[in-house]
Amino acid sequence: MDYKVYEDGMIALRLDPGDEICESILALAEKEDIQAATVTGLGATDDVVIGIMDTKAKKYNDIPLKEPFELTSLIGNLSRKDGAPYLHAHVNLGNTEGRVFGGHLQLAVISVTAEIFIRPIKGAIDRKFNDGIGVNQMIF
């Protein structure tokens, strides 16, 4: 993992083989004291877990995927929950046949590289669990 913080606050993050996306973004958010940000990126992975929300059970069903994928889209945000960095991200993944899988990003280990941009927002966004919908909802 390597990154650079630019004058306007934008952060360019490069992940290398073996780096895990969520863990890396959260570590960077902690180190740079990011309270809120948008996250976008792309890359390649061959070890992924995505989640699909079961709205009736109010929980994510995990889907592990272990094959070569182009991470064609990573989009999400950073906020805080109980004072710690919190990542909410979704991905689209294209396999070698051009089929696309997508969902809530739980885990993705980089196989080649990932190029991620993090744009901090001036201010803070917190999260609190909402029993009614079963997710950690943004609180302003």
Side-chain angles (χ1 to χ4, degrees):
M1 174 174 103
D2 196 14
Y3 72 95
K4 180 176 180 176
V5 180
Y6 289 86
E7 285 184 24
D8 65 354
M10 175 70 86
I11 299 170
L13 169 65
R14 187 197 72 234
L15 299 182
D16 300 314
D19 290 338
E20 198 283 312
I21 291 177
C22 300
E23 178 182 286
S24 298
I25 291 172
L26 290 169
L28 185 147
E30 182 68 25
K31 182 176 179 184
E32 295 296 328
D33 195 31
I34 297 170
Q35 300 297 307
T38 59
V39 177
T40 59
L42 45 78
T45 180
D46 57 9
D47 184 4
V48 184
V49 178
I50 58 174
I52 303 297
M53 177 61 122
D54 178 336
T55 56
K56 290 182 181 165
K58 298 179 186 171
K59 70 178 193 93
Y60 283 98
N61 292 319
D62 287 349
I63 302 169
L65 302 166
K66 289 193 182 258
E67 61 180 285
F69 287 105
E70 287 289 330
L71 195 161
T72 59
S73 177
L74 164 68
I75 188 162
N77 60 65
L78 281 164
S79 56
R80 292 279 168 149
K81 183 173 185 307
D82 301 324
Y86 183 94
L87 175 65
H88 182 197
H90 288 203
V91 292
N92 284 336
L93 306 157
N95 72 7
T96 58
E97 297 174 354
R99 292 196 175 111
V100 177
F101 299 81
H104 182 88
L105 179 63
Q106 307 287 41
L107 174 141
V109 178
I110 298 305
S111 59
V112 179
T113 192
E115 300 169 353
I116 299 170
F117 293 89
I118 300 170
R119 181 178 298 281
I121 298 167
K122 292 180 182 176
I125 298 174
D126 289 316
R127 296 267 176 176
K128 183 177 179 185
F129 188 76
N130 181 318
D131 289 320
I133 58 176
V135 299
N136 294 311
Q137 195 171 35
M138 289 194 300
I139 304 297
F140 307 106

